[in-house]
């Protein structure tokens, strides 16, 4: 994805966010993106502080975490 962007003249900068999609399951507890979590913006997501969001807003902070597992 990075090569695709840069070869077409897109200037990448530190902090640019790229995503190649989500890996989701069949149930609501398995949704992987904000669009899926909010069911296309129709069902707001309740955040830890009690606020609700259907979409990200200017100034929101997104923290990505993950882990690796040997199978």
């Amino acid at each position: 994805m990075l090569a695709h962007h840069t070869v077409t003249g897109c200037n990448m900068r530190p902090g640019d966010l790229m995503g190649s999609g989500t890996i989701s399951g069949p149930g609501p507890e398995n949704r992987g993106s904000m669009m899926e979590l909010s069911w296309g913006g129709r069902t707001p997501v309740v955040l830890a502080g009690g606020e609700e969001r259907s979409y990200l807003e200017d100034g929101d902070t997104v923290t990505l975490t993950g882990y690796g597992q040997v199978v």
Side-chain angles (χ1 to χ4, degrees):
M1 187 178 282
L2 178 61
H4 170 75
H5 279 285
T6 58
V7 76
T8 59
C10 179
N11 295 321
M12 301 300 294
R13 299 179 306 181
D16 286 350
L17 180 64
M18 300 178 71
S20 60
T22 61
I23 302 173
S24 303
E29 70 279 0
N30 304 123
R31 295 177 184 160
S33 70
M34 187 68 171
M35 186 62 76
E36 292 173 343
L37 288 168
S38 68
W39 204 240
R42 293 186 296 273
T43 305
V45 174
V46 180
L47 305 177
E51 291 183 81
E52 294 184 351
R53 292 277 194 285
S54 294
Y55 302 97
L56 293 176
E57 296 181 2
D58 289 344
D60 283 349
T61 300
V62 177
T63 303
L64 303 174
T65 59
Y67 68 93
Q69 180 177 334
V70 177
V71 291

